[in-house]
Amino acid sequence: MFGGAPPPTWHQVLVGSRLSHLIHRHKFKFPNPSTSVSSAGAMRASHLLVKTMNSRRKASWKDPDGAQITKRSEEEATQMLQAYIEQINGGTDFGELAKTESDCSSASRGGDLGEFSSGQMMKPFEDATLALKVGEMSGIVKTDSGLHIILRTG
């Protein structure tokens, strides 16, 4: 049917058909499957997460059994993050610190979470990210995952 080539996607079929004329005439837009998340409202951030005994998942790449996390209070995590903020403000690279200290698997990427849109992250995290200008770092932000420092990168 398609001459040995892979079948076209629905988007290619519609654009290549007579229906294309109707779509353009009525200005109806089908979503393009190749469109990335980079749209209005998208943001990008890196973070450094410290989990606590109150975190929804009490394990991490650093502590697979949760032996330390299950004993860590929010006060202790706050002290740890305050020390990290001082280090970053003193010139330590955020990403390098996240690689060694973050309890999130994004640590392997320097805390980079990539782009995300509204509704994809927990509300306190999203709200804190939106309140930042690109290049700004948050104070300590509490979510169900633990306590974070957020760096808005886009």
Side-chain angles (χ1 to χ4, degrees):
M1 177 173 176
F2 297 106
T9 65
W10 64 268
H11 187 278
Q12 291 167 328
V13 171
L14 288 175
V15 170
S17 72
R18 295 193 69 197
L19 183 58
S20 177
H21 171 73
L22 294 173
I23 293 168
H24 292 292
R25 183 174 168 202
H26 296 286
K27 308 235 186 282
F28 184 80
K29 301 282 186 202
F30 284 98
N32 183 341
S34 65
T35 302
S36 71
V37 173
S38 299
S39 60
M43 60 201 100
R44 187 177 188 128
S46 295
H47 77 137
L48 194 158
L49 169 66
V50 176
K51 292 186 174 189
T52 72
M53 63 178 69
N54 298 323
S55 295
R56 65 179 176 174
R57 185 173 170 268
K58 295 167 184 58
S60 78
W61 69 274
K62 288 175 54 176
D63 187 9
D65 298 325
Q68 296 171 1
I69 293 169
T70 56
K71 296 175 186 169
R72 186 180 300 138
S73 69
E74 287 187 5
E75 294 78 22
E76 186 179 354
T78 297
Q79 290 173 357
M80 292 169 69
L81 285 170
Q82 287 171 339
Y84 299 151
I85 289 170
E86 288 178 24
Q87 289 177 43
I88 294 163
N89 288 338
T92 300
D93 182 75
F94 186 99
E96 291 303 313
L97 192 60
K99 283 180 183 178
T100 59
E101 303 304 325
S102 183
D103 282 317
C104 182
S105 61
S106 69
S108 64
R109 298 182 304 278
D112 183 14
L113 295 169
E115 284 192 344
F116 53 93
S117 297
S118 182
Q120 289 185 289
M121 297 291 179
M122 286 180 262
K123 183 98 171 101
F125 190 97
E126 180 182 323
D127 290 346
T129 303
L130 284 170
L132 298 169
K133 293 178 183 168
V134 174
E136 285 185 334
M137 184 175 70
S138 71
I140 297 170
V141 178
K142 181 179 175 181
T143 70
D144 290 344
S145 294
L147 303 179
H148 312 253
I149 306 168
I150 303 167
L151 176 64
R152 177 124 188 217
T153 56

